[in-house]
Amino acid sequence: MTDRVLTLMRHGPMGVVLRVTTMAVAAVGVAWIHRAHDPGVLCPLRAVTGIPCPLCGGTTVFIELGSGRPVHALLANPVALVGAAGLAVAPLARDRWWALSPRTRAWVLGLALVGSELWQLARLGLLRI
């Protein structure tokens, strides 16, 4: 049974439905746990240096989505939100991504990380634009 579900999650529209359902359940669960216990800053880099990493805000994205606040999720980290959406639709677009040259994929991911880091620095007031 588990093998069948894992195979379905890798292919076609059913994979998208299963991924979105899993992500939604996880987001609601994280939001529910967060209401009961807020652990504070989870990013080790930010906790030690005060400087956020490009993935900072990723947990907040899921907490906000699970709490029904999509605008707050978008403001926490737009790149993480787009990345999560990309993972959700990956069964439909997998061939397109791998059809790109390795160099193009590296540029896309690199630009996403740089953009995310700049967003986090601006969001936390460490970069004045």
Side-chain angles (χ1 to χ4, degrees):
M1 176 69 171
T2 304
D3 292 338
R4 180 166 164 72
V5 171
L6 291 175
T7 300
L8 283 172
M9 288 183 83
R10 284 184 238 141
H11 303 289
M14 183 54 110
V16 174
V17 170
L18 287 172
R19 285 173 182 230
V20 169
T21 301
T22 302
M23 293 167 110
V25 169
V28 170
V30 168
W32 181 73
I33 291 169
H34 185 265
R35 262 186 257 137
H37 175 71
D38 181 0
V41 174
L42 297 176
C43 176
L45 180 66
R46 184 172 165 207
V48 173
T49 67
I51 299 170
C53 73
L55 302 177
C56 276
T59 305
T60 304
V61 166
F62 288 101
I63 291 169
E64 297 296 351
L65 283 176
S67 298
R69 295 187 296 261
V71 173
H72 290 150
L74 181 65
L75 293 174
N77 190 333
V79 174
L81 187 60
V82 170
L87 286 174
V89 300
L92 300 177
R94 183 179 72 210
D95 295 336
R96 290 183 187 158
W97 174 254
W98 292 112
L100 297 172
S101 72
R103 187 174 185 184
T104 302
R105 289 194 309 263
W107 271 101
V108 168
L109 293 174
L111 288 173
L113 289 173
V114 168
S116 182
E117 180 64 16
L118 291 173
W119 179 266
Q120 293 307 315
L121 291 171
R123 176 176 80 101
L124 297 173
L126 299 172
L127 177 69
R128 295 190 183 10
I129 297 177

